[in-house]
Amino acid sequence: MKKSALLLLLTSISYGALAQTPYPTIGSIERLDAKLDALLPKDAKLEVLASGFDWSEGPVWIKGSGNTDGYLLFSDVPQNTVYKWSEKEGCKPFMKPSGYTGVAPYSGEPGSNGLAVDAKGRLISAEHGDRRISALSLAERAGGKITLADQYKGKRFNSPNDVAPHSNGSVYFTDPPYGLPEREKDTKTRELAIHGVYRVTLDGNVTLLIDNLTRPNGIAFSPDEKTLYIAQSDPEKPYIMAYPVQADGTVGKGRIFYDASNGVRQNLPGLPDGLKVDKNGNVWSSGPGGILIIAPDAASGTGKLLGTLKTGVATANCAFGNDGSTLYITADMYLIRIKTTAKGL
């Protein structure tokens, strides 16, 4: 991957060396629609908070309590590590191993990927190497992780990638092949022929929701939880899909909410990957070029691209934090922040 001189300079900075402000900036903002001005200040900048990771992923903001400030957690998938970032302490390892607890070498992406917080305040992790969805209480003396789901009909998942907790306590998640030792060609390790989207309920029941996507990746609900968005990281079908959520928790027929093929044709770095939704229903998704900001159109059921946070590198995921208006972005070896005027869920 070619990088500009600025990116090479930033790469040389260790993740611990960026604990003090002012932070270096990166990339640019492409504004395509005037509606974006209501979501991003005119002077908004992409700040590099930390650098030097192999592949940063799955950011989630952990709210503070009492006199305790909040902080961000995110994965470095190849390094099998979750990192913690805070304004006061900068960036440091939080949990290792994060997604693979085996003793033999496994794959190039063994660690946790997507992270989320459920209604109980637990850290929910999509774990590549251990091939499961886990829950971890962040309270003191609460013990270690518990497994929420690690198989469907007796067969182990491929490599759970991203998670979306529902308000009723169930967890929806995607299961592409990226964490397998030989990915989709891994005939020795792979047990499920599909790349599915699943739901695990409070009682541990696992339901297959979608079985016809080639590379399901990022996952998120609309504000009313009536729509489930799935990002597909397939260069041949780089779509963000939208599915109606039924009363029983299953989903109906999907539709293409946004087609990122134009960005792929331009050879912009990245594909639809992780995504989040703000309180007004706008979708903030990684994709070709960086973070795509997409407004839903109720009449057509599709989305309109308002602009792009152009990071200059393949971008993995994002999450709103602090008071809900700060967007944190994991992009290749970087942890990035931008101040918005939107509010995350």
Side-chain angles (χ1 to χ4, degrees):
M1 180 183 295
K2 295 181 179 179
K3 298 180 177 69
S4 67
L6 172 60
L7 297 184
L8 290 172
L9 173 63
L10 289 171
T11 305
S12 69
I13 305 173
S14 70
Y15 59 75
L18 293 176
Q20 296 181 354
T21 55
Y23 298 104
T25 59
I26 192 174
S28 62
I29 300 173
E30 180 182 49
R31 297 176 184 265
L32 301 176
D33 192 294
K35 293 180 180 179
L36 187 62
D37 295 339
L39 303 176
L40 286 175
K42 290 289 187 180
D43 60 350
K45 296 179 180 179
L46 292 161
E47 301 175 290
V48 178
L49 304 179
S51 179
F53 309 103
D54 279 6
W55 179 250
S56 58
E57 254 286 7
V60 62
W61 182 258
I62 308 299
K63 293 181 179 180
S65 59
N67 295 324
T68 304
D69 294 331
Y71 56 89
L72 188 82
L73 296 178
F74 64 98
S75 302
D76 187 331
V77 187
Q79 289 299 316
N80 198 17
T81 302
V82 167
Y83 285 93
K84 174 184 178 181
W85 180 89
S86 69
E87 196 76 54
K88 291 182 178 179
E89 299 180 347
C91 193
K92 59 184 181 181
F94 176 80
M95 180 170 54
K96 183 180 178 71
S98 67
Y100 178 60
T101 55
V103 296
Y106 184 63
S107 77
E109 298 184 27
S112 63
N113 195 309
L115 306 174
V117 175
D118 70 1
K120 297 181 180 180
R122 302 178 300 179
L123 179 67
I124 308 299
S125 301
E127 302 187 9
H128 277 192
D130 285 351
R131 300 165 72 172
R132 66 174 177 169
I133 301 298
S134 69
L136 173 69
S137 174
L138 297 174
E140 292 185 7
R141 300 185 181 183
K145 294 179 181 178
I146 63 171
T147 297
L148 299 183
D150 61 3
Q151 58 184 275
Y152 174 67
K153 292 186 175 180
K155 296 182 178 181
R156 298 185 71 186
F157 297 125
N158 294 307
S159 53
N161 186 280
D162 205 0
V163 291
H166 191 278
S167 61
N168 65 12
S170 58
V171 176
Y172 291 63
F173 61 96
T174 59
D175 187 40
Y178 297 123
L180 293 173
E182 297 180 27
R183 296 195 170 191
E184 70 277 3
K185 298 179 181 179
D186 199 327
T187 58
K188 293 181 180 180
T189 310
R190 189 174 177 187
E191 298 181 21
L192 288 165
I194 61 171
H195 304 134
V197 178
Y198 301 88
R199 176 192 60 174
V200 55
T201 54
L202 284 170
D203 60 4
N205 182 55
V206 177
T207 303
L208 173 63
L209 303 176
I210 304 167
D211 64 1
N212 61 354
L213 294 177
T214 52
R215 294 292 185 275
N217 203 313
I219 183 169
F221 286 102
S222 62
D224 60 7
E225 296 185 325
K226 292 183 179 180
T227 301
L228 181 69
Y229 293 104
I230 306 288
Q232 179 162 252
S233 52
D234 181 345
E236 300 299 322
K237 299 178 180 179
Y239 308 148
I240 298 174
M241 301 294 296
Y243 296 84
V245 180
Q246 314 286 7
D248 64 356
T250 60
V251 299
K253 183 179 179 180
R255 68 182 188 277
I256 297 175
F257 172 74
Y258 182 77
D259 183 348
S261 297
N262 185 51
V264 174
R265 286 191 291 268
Q266 296 179 53
N267 293 317
L268 298 177
L271 290 165
D273 196 330
L275 72 164
K276 298 296 185 293
V277 183
D278 67 29
K279 288 187 176 181
N280 290 324
N282 300 299
V283 175
W284 302 64
S285 174
S286 58
I291 296 294
L292 313 179
I293 305 169
I294 306 165
D297 180 77
S300 66
T302 61
K304 180 180 181 181
L305 182 64
L306 303 182
T308 303
L309 306 179
K310 304 185 76 171
T311 63
V313 296
T315 302
N317 211 330
C318 62
F320 288 96
N322 298 87
D323 65 351
S325 62
T326 299
L327 187 74
Y328 292 90
I329 302 166
T330 48
D332 201 307
M333 72 286 289
Y334 303 117
L335 174 64
I336 299 169
R337 174 181 69 183
I338 188 169
K339 302 294 181 65
T340 80
T341 44
K343 287 286 186 179
L345 291 178

